[in-house]
Amino acid sequence: MEGDRRLRTKKRKRARLIGFVQVGILVLSIITLAAAGFIYSVLPDTDISQLKNQIGHSTKIYDQDNQLASTVTANKSEGISIEKIPEHVKNAVIAIEDRRFYEHHGIDYKGITRAMVNNLKAGGIVEGGSTLTQQFIKISLLESDRTYKRKIQEYFLAKEVEHEYKKDEILEMYFNQVYFGHGAWGINKASQIYFGKDVEQLTISEGAMLAGVINLPSKLDPYKNYEGAINRRNLVLSRMEELNLISAEKADQAKKETITLASVDQVDPLKGKYPYYVDHVLAEASKMYKIDLDELLTGGYKIYTTLDQEVQSIAEAIYKEDSNFPTGTSPDLVQSGTILIDPKTGGIKALIGGRGTHQFLGYNRATQLITSPGSSIKPLAVYVPALKEGYELTDPLVDEKMAFGQYNPENLNGQYKGTVPMYEAVMESLNVPTVWLLNEIGIQKGVDSLKDFGLPLEKDDRNLSIALGGMSKGVSPQDMAEAYTVFANNGVRNESHAIVKIQDPNGKEMAVWEEQSKKVATKEVVEKMNSMLLGVVKYGTGVNAAVEGHEIAGKTGSTQVPIEGISGVKDQWFVGYTPSLVGAVWVGYDKTDKDHYLTTYSSEGATKIFQKIMAQSLQSKESKSFEAADIGPLIEEQERKAEEENQKNYWEDKKEEFKKGWNKWRNKLFNNDGN
């Protein structure tokens, strides 16, 4: 009886065990099938057989008509065979990026473990586990997103690439497609850009520096962060010594070597068209849409812009002719920046960031220059807010030599008329009446107006000197051109931009411009301002900006050299516009000192450059009108009144002269009679 019970218990336990095993097998089968299904779903459908012939993806820039205008690019096609790359250069990259490159089969499990341990010890990410094969796959085959799917794809492709190609073939492809910063794809182009030599001529120290740049090409660009690049070079050399790839003596000698970089003017890595415009597009994409610059330069993006190729080409041709620019007190090149904007959309049609040799992603004076705008700010800071307050074009403004506390503005010509109508103060760019008017309406109204126009202000800028462009920092040509679009767009300011949309290589939209506008002034105020600024070009300081057959409005601006004892010009400005195009031109030295300044005013420099660009750009365009009143009749009326006043004064003087003569004759006659 007892034995039967035990037997039944044993059978039940065995049945339960078998049941558990069956369930376990079923679950394991489900998990296995799910895992297999997931892996199958993410397996890359990629043909790697043509990798050796693959040229990296270029970023394409399209114009306002969706026509291909420029590419950021061709350096990837300038490959070099592995035999021409010195052993010490190959060893430097292997030492810092993948020390077990010749031992693993695409995935370095030991390297991953070592990196995890070192990262745990450091309490952060100090070392990665990706192999050179994985890095090559990422830059040549996969998108740069950090997803589990991509990492799994990377794993399988690394295995496949290692099976298909020899190690030196993989290394050669890697060297020819990896990005070294400063617009350089590939080891040979990087060698030319940074050191002005081919890769075969690189020293151990130079090779180690290039190997170090790969990790963070933007941050370790030797032109921008020389000290950081040197520190990274020394780390590479230490790793090479640790792995017995160079001797301790050679490592020490290489660390002591002073590296001389090639002149930044020696090589322009951007061989595409419209370099300054492309520079700005890349900067705008990086800043506004948060796309990493390195990814942007290598990811095969399509960037659609507001570029007008005709206007851009015209501006570039004018900037190549030295005779179009004023000379200064130094043989050094007088610099300049120009930008042209569509007032209806804010789209940047063209820009030039400087004269002379272009440096890729270098200083762009059209967008990055910050300096005083001089008198070109007067309409924005004073006359628009005054018109809003009810002032009229013919209202008299005080024009007398005077002080406002400690501030003593002066008219440039040293002459004063007592009073002048507002339009004349604008037309002749008179300083004292402008400051007087701002003082009358109140500084705060001027400050508020500048903010409405989108100009950057500092705390210290709240004073009367803003009437004449006195600012703690200043503005760029882009700032001024965007502000003046208000006058050509019925009082509305649209934020300036170059990019319309960005697509990835597959056509997926990564970014789209969203219009941002602000109503700054009424139509009535704009019409009055347009009348006065048309008068500047037709009758006043901006006559050299006139284009036959087209209405041009605008304002000149100049600033004085801020050095006691020197009478010269620091900045020349002209900001002008038609109903369809607004432009700002700046001319000056990058650094003004006692040996570097201009001797002419904006009417002889910036204004003429603006005129040349506009004259050619408008040549085939239909003439458009602002429908604003011409101030010519006001000038004639003012001249008539002045002539009448002169005549009146003349006869008053004659009357007084006759009276004095009569009294003198009468006194003499009576005196004689008395004798």
Side-chain angles (χ1 to χ4, degrees):
M1 191 96 178
E2 183 65 28
D4 291 341
R5 191 165 53 249
R6 288 179 179 176
L7 182 60
R8 286 195 299 270
T9 302
K10 189 175 182 180
K11 286 181 177 179
R12 284 196 299 270
K13 288 182 177 179
R14 183 181 297 170
R16 282 198 300 269
L17 180 60
I18 291 171
F20 286 142
V21 171
Q22 289 174 335
V23 171
I25 291 172
L26 179 61
V27 172
L28 182 61
S29 298
I30 293 172
I31 292 173
T32 303
L33 287 171
F38 173 74
I39 291 172
Y40 180 78
S41 70
V42 300
L43 278 176
D45 182 18
T46 306
D47 179 12
I48 66 169
S49 62
Q50 298 298 314
L51 271 176
K52 286 197 71 176
N53 300 321
Q54 178 176 314
I55 296 174
H57 304 295
S58 62
T59 292
K60 295 178 173 61
I61 311 294
Y62 294 85
D63 69 6
Q64 62 182 357
D65 299 316
N66 296 333
Q67 299 297 310
L68 183 62
S70 186
T71 56
V72 185
T73 145
N75 296 320
K76 281 192 169 186
S77 65
E78 300 177 11
I80 188 170
S81 67
I82 194 69
E83 289 79 14
K84 291 186 177 182
I85 301 175
E87 283 297 316
H88 61 261
V89 176
K90 291 187 285 186
N91 288 338
V93 172
I94 289 170
I96 195 65
E97 293 293 329
D98 187 0
R99 63 174 69 187
R100 298 185 65 253
F101 175 70
Y102 285 106
E103 299 171 36
H104 62 67
H105 298 288
I107 305 296
D108 185 7
Y109 301 105
K110 289 184 179 180
I112 293 171
T113 304
R114 183 185 66 250
M116 289 175 62
V117 172
N118 290 339
N119 291 338
L120 286 171
K121 288 180 179 179
I125 305 298
V126 297
E127 186 174 339
S130 293
T131 63
L132 288 178
T133 310
Q134 289 175 282
Q135 292 182 40
F136 167 62
I137 288 166
K138 184 170 67 175
I139 63 177
S140 60
L141 296 175
L142 297 177
E143 296 180 7
S144 297
D145 57 319
R146 298 183 178 183
T147 62
Y148 288 115
K149 178 181 177 180
R150 199 217 71 193
K151 293 301 291 184
I152 293 171
Q153 290 177 329
E154 187 180 291
Y155 173 90
F156 284 104
L157 283 172
K159 289 290 190 181
E160 193 175 348
V161 167
E162 288 272 348
H163 182 266
E164 181 77 20
Y165 296 98
K166 297 176 182 178
K167 286 289 185 178
D168 278 356
E169 289 178 320
I170 296 171
L171 197 60
E172 179 182 290
M173 291 186 289
Y174 176 84
F175 270 117
N176 283 321
Q177 295 199 40
V178 71
Y179 184 57
F180 287 87
H182 216 81
W185 291 275
I187 187 71
N188 198 48
K189 178 55 64 176
S191 178
Q192 293 169 348
I193 286 175
Y194 289 123
F195 309 119
K197 61 176 73 171
D198 290 332
V199 67
E200 298 99 314
Q201 301 171 301
L202 288 176
T203 66
I204 292 175
S205 182
E206 292 167 341
M209 176 176 276
L210 286 185
V213 167
I214 293 172
N215 179 248
L216 293 168
S218 292
K219 292 184 179 179
L220 294 175
D221 178 341
Y223 285 118
K224 300 176 182 177
N225 184 9
Y226 184 80
E227 184 179 354
I230 289 293
N231 291 337
R232 181 73 176 172
R233 175 204 67 177
N234 293 342
L235 175 61
V236 173
L237 292 168
S238 295
R239 290 280 176 86
M240 293 175 73
E241 179 187 348
E242 175 189 332
L243 297 172
N244 296 316
L245 296 174
I246 56 173
S247 66
E249 181 182 357
K250 284 188 175 181
D252 186 57
Q253 183 179 354
K255 288 178 182 178
K256 293 177 180 178
E257 180 181 321
T258 300
I259 289 183
T260 302
L261 298 175
S263 167
V264 293
D265 293 332
Q266 189 169 334
V267 179
D268 183 354
L270 185 66
K271 292 185 177 179
K273 295 171 71 176
Y274 318 129
Y276 277 112
Y277 196 97
V278 171
D279 279 357
H280 177 70
V281 167
L282 296 176
E284 190 175 295
S286 178
K287 181 179 179 181
M288 185 174 294
Y289 299 110
K290 309 302 179 186
I291 301 177
D292 184 77
L293 185 59
D294 296 337
E295 181 184 346
L296 195 64
L297 291 170
T298 59
Y301 288 94
K302 297 177 181 178
I303 306 179
Y304 294 84
T305 74
T306 58
L307 171 68
D308 185 322
Q309 292 195 63
E310 181 183 4
V311 178
Q312 180 70 31
S313 297
I314 288 168
E316 288 187 3
I318 288 169
Y319 264 68
K320 287 179 181 177
E321 291 293 331
D322 291 344
S323 60
N324 290 328
F325 294 84
T327 56
T329 55
S330 165
D332 296 337
L333 201 65
V334 171
Q335 274 299 343
S336 180
T338 288
I339 188 167
L340 296 118
I341 297 176
D342 181 346
K344 307 304 179 188
T345 65
I348 298 172
K349 295 299 182 183
L351 66 80
I352 305 291
R355 298 177 64 203
T357 305
H358 167 261
Q359 178 189 341
F360 180 60
L361 291 177
Y363 185 40
N364 193 324
R365 295 163 189 85
T367 59
Q368 296 173 326
L369 169 82
I370 299 295
T371 190
S372 167
S375 293
S376 64
I377 205 173
K378 289 176 178 177
L380 317 178
V382 182
Y383 292 106
V384 164
L387 290 172
K388 287 181 178 180
E389 288 297 297
Y391 277 81
E392 295 294 339
L393 274 59
T394 54
D395 284 351
L397 309 183
V398 175
D399 183 28
E400 299 173 353
K401 193 171 179 58
M402 67 180 80
F404 301 85
Q406 299 298 312
Y407 185 42
N408 297 278
E410 297 179 350
N411 288 344
L412 188 62
N413 59 12
Q415 299 177 6
Y416 304 89
K417 298 183 178 180
T419 62
V420 292
M422 181 192 288
Y423 71 81
E424 185 176 341
V426 175
M427 184 178 72
E428 298 298 338
S429 197
L430 301 178
N431 291 336
V432 173
T434 306
V435 176
W436 176 86
L437 182 57
L438 179 59
N439 189 57
E440 288 294 303
I441 64 174
I443 294 174
Q444 190 58 47
K445 291 212 169 42
V447 169
D448 291 341
S449 180
L450 291 179
K451 289 179 180 178
D452 286 342
F453 277 103
L455 298 190
L457 293 172
E458 304 295 319
K459 284 185 179 180
D460 295 340
D461 292 338
R462 195 184 182 283
N463 58 71
L464 287 174
S465 67
I466 60 170
L468 308 182
M471 305 173 77
S472 301
K473 292 184 178 179
V475 295
S476 68
Q478 183 179 2
D479 292 329
M480 293 302 291
E482 180 183 313
Y484 270 66
T485 61
V486 170
F487 303 134
N489 192 36
N490 295 318
V492 176
R493 175 175 63 84
N494 289 307
E495 187 172 334
S496 57
H497 63 284
I499 296 173
V500 176
K501 64 181 177 180
I502 302 175
Q503 295 179 344
D504 70 9
N506 299 317
K508 178 184 176 182
E509 286 190 347
M510 307 294 291
V512 178
W513 169 254
E514 295 181 3
E515 183 178 304
Q516 301 179 50
S517 61
K518 180 181 179 63
K519 182 71 173 178
V520 176
T522 65
K523 183 179 180 181
E524 182 182 8
V525 166
V526 168
E527 287 178 351
K528 291 176 180 178
M529 200 68 244
N530 284 340
S531 289
M532 291 192 287
L533 293 178
L534 283 165
V536 169
V537 175
K538 195 170 183 179
Y539 308 105
T541 58
V543 291
N544 285 333
V547 175
E548 186 176 355
H550 292 272
E551 288 191 354
I552 303 287
K555 185 70 186 72
T556 54
S558 299
T559 67
Q560 302 300 302
V561 176
I563 302 174
E564 189 174 348
I566 292 181
S567 177
V569 173
K570 176 179 177 290
D571 305 286
Q572 291 184 2
W573 284 88
F574 188 80
V575 189
Y577 57 100
T578 70
S580 59
L581 193 61
V582 179
V585 179
W586 169 87
V587 178
Y589 283 102
D590 285 337
K591 183 179 180 182
T592 298
D593 55 31
K594 62 183 180 62
D595 300 314
H596 297 79
Y597 58 90
L598 303 175
T599 56
T600 57
Y601 290 94
S602 57
S603 58
E604 295 299 317
T607 305
K608 289 185 175 181
I609 296 166
F610 173 89
Q611 192 277 340
K612 289 178 183 294
I613 294 173
M614 280 294 189
Q616 293 185 41
S617 298
L618 297 172
Q619 201 167 33
S620 58
K621 303 291 191 301
E622 182 183 353
S623 178
K624 295 181 179 180
S625 173
F626 287 106
E627 305 298 335
D630 185 358
I631 66 169
L634 296 179
I635 296 173
E636 291 176 2
E637 177 65 15
Q638 180 71 13
E639 290 176 347
R640 185 185 65 77
K641 288 181 178 180
E643 180 62 27
E644 288 179 354
E645 186 68 23
N646 288 337
Q647 287 290 334
K648 180 181 177 182
N649 291 336
Y650 173 81
W651 289 113
E652 287 290 337
D653 291 342
K654 286 295 183 183
K655 180 180 177 181
E656 188 64 29
E657 184 181 333
F658 177 79
K659 185 177 180 181
K660 287 180 180 179
W662 166 252
N663 288 336
K664 183 178 179 182
W665 179 81
R666 186 183 62 180
N667 290 336
K668 185 176 180 182
L669 180 64
F670 289 152
N671 286 338
N672 287 339
D673 289 344
N675 290 332

